[in-house]
Amino acid sequence: MDPNASFDTEEVEHEYSNAYDRPQPYNYEPARRPRDQEQPRIRRNNGHRREIELWCEENQWRTGQLSWRMSAVVVVHGGAWAIPEDLAKASVDGVKAAARQGSSVLKGGGSALDAVEAAVRVMEDNPVFNAGRGADLFAESIGMATVPADELVTENERKEWDKQKNYVTGVMEDFNSQWAHDTVGAVAVDSDGNVACATSTGGIRNKMVGRVGDCPIIGSGGYADNLSGAVSCTGHGESILKVTLARLILSHVEQGKSLADSSQLSLQYMGDRVHGAGGAIAVSPSGQWAATFSTERMAWAAVDQDVLWYGLDPKEKLNEKLGQ
Ligand code: GLY
């Protein structure tokens, strides 16, 4: 228990019998009789606010609430696909820059929501990721200046377009051999214990006009709940939608699995059940985090306690002190 922690106001007394009969939230440990002189201990982890174990005093249960500030964490991804070598360094540099930006927002006292928005903006403005371009209509509607569409077409995208003018061929190639996505995302937990996610995409190549992918659908491309965590997904939108990937990951977390195991199990399920591949980043209210993918590569980065973590290939997990 944190020695600097201080008790909040309320202390609630219960009869022994009430304590045993009380409804149990999903990760609530079963109530039991305290032994004499037993010290209170953490019973339910609800982010940075924790309900502590009941203890015995003159045959009465007592509860208390305890809160303290914990270090904030941000994790970002730049899309899960077979990132070619010529985009590898730029992709990793891009996610590192985004994670740094998210972290500086958190350090400045910003919320998790502010942090994920700032991190995603950095990647949307970086042509290596090519997300966020669908925002021009919105930008126009709020009076922002627009530029000709040609200026938004990157060299790499033009080459791919020439190669895959046929929709069926393009989708088969993208989703069976070379997975190609324009999605970026971020998740964060702030020092108040609030979690948030953001996911932004340019969709998939040769998509039908009007297609809606997974990203704007809560539970599929992203989900955030202060009781379990926040997730942002990347991959084949139709597959992610079919398994509601973000919610699936958090439902495993709620059953007691780690973030990494939950993400791996869910991506495996998506592969087995609907032949989809992709990736996910996740953060818990207590500051644990994971970056997982079933594609060949995914550029990701995280800032946790002044260390910048990052990777691109499976099992790659590099780090450097922030500020280097
Ligand atoms: N995951 C992005 C999309 O399929 O639209």
Side-chain angles (χ1 to χ4, degrees):
M1 193 177 296
D2 183 332
N4 300 319
S6 60
F7 282 100
D8 261 3
T9 47
E10 59 204 87
E11 281 196 345
V12 186
E13 294 185 13
H14 297 276
E15 300 292 336
Y16 273 139
S17 58
N18 290 345
Y20 286 111
D21 295 338
R22 227 168 334 148
Q24 311 276 294
Y26 67 86
N27 60 353
Y28 214 82
E29 292 169 18
R32 61 179 176 74
R33 286 175 190 280
R35 289 176 281 275
D36 277 353
Q37 308 295 319
E38 189 171 27
Q39 290 299 305
R41 67 187 179 88
I42 293 166
R43 167 171 220 155
R44 185 175 53 165
N45 180 348
N46 178 9
H48 299 209
R49 189 168 190 81
R50 292 159 185 230
E51 185 173 330
I52 60 164
E53 176 74 1
L54 306 167
W55 71 97
C56 189
E57 208 172 88
E58 293 175 357
N59 281 0
Q60 298 256 301
W61 287 95
R62 288 175 178 273
T63 62
Q65 288 215 320
L66 190 61
S67 57
W68 62 86
R69 291 178 88 73
M70 292 167 64
S71 68
V73 175
V74 61
V75 191
V76 308
H77 72 74
W81 58 295
I83 299 165
E85 216 38 56
D86 59 333
L87 292 182
K89 183 174 181 318
S91 298
V92 173
D93 288 349
V95 289
K96 284 162 80 175
R100 279 197 179 98
Q101 181 62 33
S103 169
S104 80
V105 169
L106 291 170
K107 273 203 176 134
S111 68
L113 192 56
D114 294 336
V116 294
E117 195 182 334
V120 160
R121 272 184 201 282
V122 168
M123 291 184 282
E124 284 180 333
D125 290 344
N126 183 341
V128 75
F129 300 118
N130 208 13
R133 307 208 179 281
D136 55 348
L137 285 175
F138 171 72
E140 211 174 295
S141 78
I142 59 169
M144 283 177 73
T146 53
V147 294
D150 268 3
E151 285 184 24
L152 299 172
V153 178
T154 63
E155 186 52 33
N156 200 53
E157 287 300 317
R158 187 174 290 286
K159 272 197 234 150
E160 286 298 326
W161 169 251
D162 284 340
K163 208 169 74 189
Q164 301 176 16
K165 280 196 172 131
N166 178 297
Y167 179 77
V168 176
T169 314
V171 168
M172 289 305 282
E173 181 167 331
D174 276 358
F175 296 113
N176 288 300
S177 54
Q178 188 198 27
W179 293 75
H181 302 288
D182 295 340
T183 305
V184 299
V187 293
V189 56
D190 60 32
S191 54
D192 289 330
N194 292 315
V195 298
C197 67
T199 309
S200 172
T201 192
I204 60 172
R205 284 193 190 103
N206 296 345
K207 60 183 179 271
M208 274 180 76
V209 173
R211 169 191 183 263
V212 176
D214 57 293
C215 295
I217 308 299
I218 303 301
S220 292
Y223 200 78
D225 179 344
N226 277 356
L227 288 183
S228 51
V231 173
S232 168
C233 299
T234 163
H236 182 212
E238 283 72 4
S239 301
I240 293 172
L241 283 160
K242 283 176 187 161
V243 302
T244 55
L245 185 61
R247 194 66 194 84
L248 182 62
I249 291 171
L250 289 177
S251 70
H252 283 302
V253 172
E254 288 165 1
Q255 302 304 314
K257 293 198 166 58
S258 71
L259 288 179
D261 286 354
S262 300
S263 304
Q264 249 153 28
L265 271 174
S266 304
L267 286 166
Q268 174 78 45
Y269 178 79
M270 187 168 83
D272 294 345
R273 191 76 180 91
V274 296
H275 308 295
I281 49 172
V283 71
S284 77
S286 56
Q288 263 103 45
W289 57 272
T292 314
F293 51 98
S294 55
T295 47
E296 276 183 47
R297 285 176 150 176
M298 179 176 85
W300 63 269
V303 176
D304 180 6
Q305 297 186 349
D306 281 338
V307 178
L308 175 64
W309 298 87
Y310 58 96
L312 179 71
D313 289 311
K315 299 199 190 316
E316 187 176 49
K317 196 171 175 184
L318 307 167
N319 72 75
E320 58 194 53
K321 261 314 247 182
L322 207 60
Q324 279 178 355

